[in-house]
Amino acid sequence: MSTQGLSELDLQKAGVRGINQTLQGLAKNTNQRHWLVRNPMGQHAIAVGLDAPLHVEVHGHVGFYCGGMNKESEIIIHGHAGVGVAENMMSGLVWVKGNASESAGATGNGGLLVIDGDASSRCGISMKGIDIVVGGSVGHMSAFMAQRGNLVVCGDAGEALGDSIYEARLYVKGKAHGLGADCIEKEMRAEHLEDLAKLLERAKRKERPQDFRRYGSARKLYNFDVDHADAY
Amino acid sequence: MDSNIPHTLPRKSATFDDYTLSEIRRAAQTGIYDIRGAGAKRKLPHFDDLLFLGASMSRYPLEGYREKCGTNVVLGTRFAKKPIELKIPITIAGMSFGSLSANAKEALGRGASAAGTSTTTGDGGMTPEERGQSKHLVYQYLPSRYGMNPDDLRKADAIEVVIGQGAKPGGGGMLLGQKISDRVAAMRCLPKGIDQRSACRHPDWTGPDDLEIKIQELREITNWEKPIYIKVGGARPYYDVALAVKAGADVVVVDGMQGGTAATQEVFIEHVGQPTLACIRPAVKALQELGMHRKVQLIVSGGIRNGADVAKALALGADAVAIGTAALVALGDNDPAYEEEYRALGTTAGAYDDWHEGKDPAGITTQDPALMQRLDPVKAGRRLYNYLKVMTLEAQTIARANGKSHVHNLEPEDLVALTIEAAAMAQVPLAGTSWIPGKQPF
Ligand SMILES: Cc1cc2nc3c(=O)[nH]c(=O)nc-3n(C[C@H](O)[C@H](O)[C@H](O)COP(=O)(O)O)c2cc1C
């Protein structure tokens, strides 16, 4: 470890507990902002609950919940991520250079999650304000019960996209293989193109906003009506 | 008609009784299932079907008021660095802000803290009112994750992962539009006024193996300090408790079908799940077989009303109990003083269960500012404190009568059952016999 520049942590030596204790223990105004985590070995709960403006580069694959409940930190994963990467993120950035498993960005409240590769099913499930940009495709039931925030998919979306969606906005460039209950295609207005352009730029994507379609809630299931009961 | 011919009296069907008929008419008119609060209302085998034997020639009683009878309980001794120590084995169950008014939440915190016990958040996040007023606050981790954030997680004294509730094992939360006020909507990040049906499965794990990893994450975020509870509805208590232990729980909460709810379909409340009495022994058996009884603590809830219920639950092997409905009644729910207003709502004091409509005259299950003002959190908190004290004294009275110097020393051997059903469920002998149905031949 050094006090300036890049500090290194070896998960094989420190264990998950050691890594998290070190990163969680840093003061918000620390000068020791840049961290490198080696040998993550697919372990779970790496770099969770961080609460300072750190920059953490993880070299290798991570297991479940990497970056869970993150606040302020930038966590870059040079590898694939297991279930629930950046789950319930509050702010900051989690960037997966490979693919992500199920429930990526689940229930996230804020911040940006970028997945360069594909994400599996339930990407953005119950999202509450997070922005998610996926370079590849997402699996089925993505944005299930999504409440707020944006999900951008540069590839295709699996079945039942946006099932029972609330106020989140979904942008898909490729094909959506079926929409879930109460999810419909919506008009792409100037404000949406503008938002989408910013999101693509933050995720360093080259796609053009006008090539995407927008999906969101028809708001027909917001209040119970017997004549809509068959929609489920 | 010839008045000389005897004619039979009008006879109502036992199958199609008045209640059933009214429900068919209501469904036909509205096209929606009946939603209500509270727990199962049908008659079920319960703690009233058990009796304590008391002391006799072979057991000495302890002197009331003079000889000590302990009531404290420590929860979370398995893994947590900071277990919770409570003065009494009666906790306040999770009830959401949203389903309850902020004043009601504050009153629960005041009463529980004064009595030395814990209170619990619910589906909707942690309010400053309840955190401020609760000495020991358990923070629920639910499928909806409304309001979930790492700061509140760290402010909590324990974390309760909710898998299910006794009133609706397999069902998610419900909060109808009338109660989604600005504040509730903001905390849950939802549009105001919608009928909100929470998810019933967690969004980022399925099954006990994943749950083990989820618990690891929660412990990592909170520095392995907080006790982690797992709450299950009374579905398959033997397996659920064993799996909860495997997943790494410090404490398991088992909630039987009499357990209250803020709002659920009537059909769910009355027809899914097992009675509390039927859940305790299988839960204890699972703990005993794993060598975890008293190491992973068991909290039982669903229809606990008085010190006798507490003593019986503990005698069957629980470490503590939780109360929901009874705590609300202590605050003032269903008080006959509001009878006129209950009548205006088409009900009567004692039967009012349309908690989802948010019109509670007692100011408890409402978000209406005017109604909510009726509940003075200080006075209501004092009533809850009194009630908790009485329950504790009652449980001690029973424990002393059975010769026990701590309520945890009560045991199944102190009990008999009044009915065959209760004897089978609680696995204690039918009174006057040595017969435990399903165990020993008569
Ligand atoms: C108004 C109300 C709201 C409730 N909200 C929740 C909740 O948010 N989460 C939960 O796990 N259980 C909830 N419950 C269930 C209680 O935690 C507890 O399991 C139940 O009330 C215990 O049974 P009892 O009411 O017979 O004491 C609620 C119950 C009531 C009465």
Side-chain angles (χ1 to χ4, degrees):
Chain A
M1 273 206 263
S2 70
T3 43
Q4 282 187 343
L6 201 66
S7 311
E8 271 196 44
L9 288 166
D10 187 340
L11 195 139
Q12 207 161 9
K13 290 195 195 123
V16 172
R17 189 76 282 260
I19 304 267
N20 285 330
Q21 242 168 348
T22 304
L23 296 177
Q24 289 170 3
L26 296 163
K28 277 195 192 277
N29 58 358
T30 179
N31 285 327
Q32 218 177 349
R33 286 172 192 274
H34 291 264
W35 291 84
L36 205 144
V37 176
R38 293 208 188 275
N39 294 315
M41 303 183 297
Q43 293 289 302
H44 308 305
I46 297 173
V48 295
L50 304 192
D51 191 6
L54 309 176
H55 180 90
V56 181
E57 305 245 352
V58 183
H59 283 265
H61 309 308
V62 295
F64 286 37
Y65 312 131
C66 183
M69 301 215 186
N70 183 46
K71 279 176 88 178
E72 297 189 43
S73 279
E74 293 174 5
I75 301 170
I76 318 294
I77 301 160
H78 297 276
H80 303 307
V83 171
V85 65
E87 69 88 18
N88 212 83
M89 176 154 61
M90 306 303 294
S91 60
L93 169 75
V94 173
W95 198 309
V96 183
K97 297 290 181 176
N99 301 319
S101 183
E102 291 159 33
S103 303
T107 75
N109 292 274
L112 175 68
L113 168 64
V114 182
I115 297 158
D116 285 347
D118 299 320
S120 182
S121 56
R122 296 163 200 272
C123 181
I125 184 170
S126 290
M127 54 195 276
K128 296 170 169 57
I130 189 176
D131 292 321
I132 305 176
V133 181
V134 181
S137 299
V138 296
H140 66 267
M141 296 295 270
S142 286
F144 176 59
M145 295 181 89
Q147 293 172 224
R148 194 186 291 166
N150 299 287
L151 171 64
V152 180
V153 181
C154 300
D156 302 331
E159 281 167 37
L161 175 71
D163 194 279
S164 305
I165 187 173
Y166 294 101
E167 296 294 302
R169 289 173 175 175
L170 315 179
Y171 301 98
V172 181
K173 178 160 175 275
K175 190 169 161 23
H177 295 275
L179 303 179
D182 214 28
C183 183
I184 53 167
E185 185 175 346
K186 294 191 152 182
E187 185 196 352
M188 185 78 98
R189 295 193 299 270
E191 64 191 274
H192 304 121
L193 288 169
E194 219 173 279
D195 284 354
L196 181 54
K198 280 186 208 143
L199 286 164
L200 290 166
E201 194 191 320
R202 283 167 69 201
K204 300 200 167 64
R205 304 292 317 176
K206 298 275 180 291
E207 286 81 2
R208 302 180 316 159
Q210 56 270 39
D211 295 337
F212 285 73
R213 289 162 184 261
R214 180 169 82 96
Y215 303 90
S217 181
R219 304 189 179 97
K220 285 207 172 119
L221 300 180
Y222 276 15
N223 293 97
F224 189 88
D225 179 339
V226 66
D227 295 325
H228 293 147
D230 293 337
Y232 297 106
Chain B
M1 255 212 290
D2 185 346
S3 59
N4 291 322
I5 303 175
H7 62 100
T8 50
L9 291 173
R11 180 181 180 184
K12 288 192 174 172
S13 167
T15 305
F16 290 90
D17 60 12
D18 281 345
Y19 175 79
T20 306
L21 296 175
S22 70
E23 173 50 21
I24 294 173
R25 290 188 196 103
R26 195 205 55 76
Q29 178 77 31
T30 63
I32 182 169
Y33 36 51
D34 187 25
I35 295 171
R36 66 167 175 87
K41 291 192 168 184
R42 62 159 83 210
K43 185 147 179 57
L44 291 163
H46 199 38
F47 294 117
D48 284 343
D49 301 318
L50 301 181
L51 295 173
F52 280 102
L53 294 172
S56 56
M57 293 279 271
S58 57
R59 302 258 178 134
Y60 311 128
L62 298 187
E63 294 284 359
Y65 302 111
R66 279 179 283 277
E67 287 180 302
K68 236 179 147 46
C69 177
T71 60
N72 68 313
V73 58
V74 184
L75 300 168
T77 49
R78 186 186 184 191
F79 291 122
K81 281 192 214 159
K82 293 187 178 168
I84 295 187
E85 174 151 13
L86 304 179
K87 280 194 194 150
I88 60 172
I90 309 160
T91 65
I92 306 300
M95 292 183 274
S96 67
F97 167 68
S99 76
L100 299 186
S101 65
N103 284 10
K105 288 299 281 179
E106 182 182 333
L108 291 174
R110 286 176 178 276
S113 299
T117 191
S118 61
T119 178
T120 313
T121 67
D123 199 3
M126 184 190 286
T127 62
E129 288 93 335
E130 65 186 335
R131 176 61 280 186
Q133 294 304 334
S134 304
K135 183 157 186 294
H136 309 280
L137 181 61
V138 183
Y139 186 32
Q140 286 199 327
Y141 191 74
L142 294 124
S144 70
R145 309 275 166 89
Y146 292 138
M148 175 52 53
N149 70 80
D151 300 331
D152 286 347
L153 204 63
R154 289 176 176 131
K155 275 185 216 148
D157 300 298
I159 299 164
E160 180 167 295
V161 178
V162 180
I163 315 249
Q165 242 179 277
K168 47 176 167 182
M174 253 187 185
L175 198 65
L176 301 192
Q178 302 91 316
K179 289 172 84 170
I180 311 273
S181 65
D182 286 324
R183 184 174 175 198
V184 173
M187 275 181 73
R188 298 182 184 219
C189 182
L190 284 169
K192 192 182 174 185
I194 68 163
D195 291 341
Q196 171 247 292
R197 276 155 284 176
S198 315
C200 63
R201 290 199 306 268
H202 281 262
D204 55 356
W205 61 268
T206 34
D209 295 332
D210 287 8
L211 176 55
E212 193 172 345
I213 304 171
K214 176 48 79 178
I215 287 178
Q216 184 199 351
E217 185 206 7
L218 294 173
R219 292 200 195 272
E220 282 293 324
I221 292 173
T222 54
N223 197 28
W224 289 74
E225 282 174 1
K226 326 271 179 204
I228 298 203
Y229 303 10
I230 295 182
K231 176 176 180 176
V232 294
R236 295 169 186 81
Y238 175 75
Y239 295 105
D240 288 342
V241 169
L243 291 170
V245 170
K246 188 211 165 269
D250 290 305
V251 175
V252 185
V253 184
V254 176
D255 188 31
M257 76 177 281
Q258 294 100 321
T261 172
T264 300
Q265 299 92 329
E266 151 94 9
V267 71
F268 213 147
I269 299 175
E270 295 287 354
H271 299 277
V272 185
Q274 300 201 57
T276 305
L277 193 63
C279 294
I280 306 176
R281 294 308 290 274
V284 172
K285 183 164 176 258
L287 292 171
Q288 285 169 338
E289 285 177 5
L290 293 165
M292 285 294 176
H293 191 219
R294 308 284 182 216
K295 291 183 187 150
V296 168
Q297 287 78 33
L298 175 67
I299 300 180
V300 165
S301 59
I304 304 276
R305 304 153 298 175
N306 51 44
D309 290 351
V310 176
K312 289 168 187 176
L314 298 188
L316 293 177
D319 294 276
V321 301
I323 58 168
T325 307
L328 300 187
V329 173
L331 298 188
D333 173 62
N334 267 293
D335 191 330
Y338 290 114
E339 180 59 16
E340 236 171 79
E341 293 182 52
Y342 289 122
R343 287 277 163 93
L345 293 168
T347 184
T348 180
Y352 177 65
D353 59 13
D354 285 331
W355 298 345
H356 56 289
E357 291 180 352
K359 297 180 187 154
D360 185 0
I364 295 169
T365 56
T366 182
Q367 295 301 321
D368 180 308
L371 290 173
M372 189 175 134
Q373 284 313 315
R374 293 182 179 184
L375 189 80
D376 178 336
V378 176
K379 285 189 187 150
R382 175 71 205 197
R383 284 196 294 273
L384 177 62
Y385 165 81
N386 288 343
Y387 170 60
L388 288 168
K389 279 284 177 206
V390 170
M391 278 213 276
T392 307
L393 286 169
E394 288 174 345
Q396 284 175 306
T397 301
I398 288 173
R400 285 198 183 92
N402 286 277
K404 311 293 193 222
S405 59
H406 195 289
V407 289
H408 286 149
N409 297 342
L410 288 163
E411 52 196 338
E413 289 70 22
D414 295 321
L415 292 167
V416 292
L418 285 168
T419 66
I420 296 173
E421 288 88 344
M425 291 179 190
Q427 288 164 42
V428 300
L430 183 66
T433 78
S434 58
W435 183 38
I436 302 178
K439 271 206 141 175
Q440 294 145 6
F442 185 60

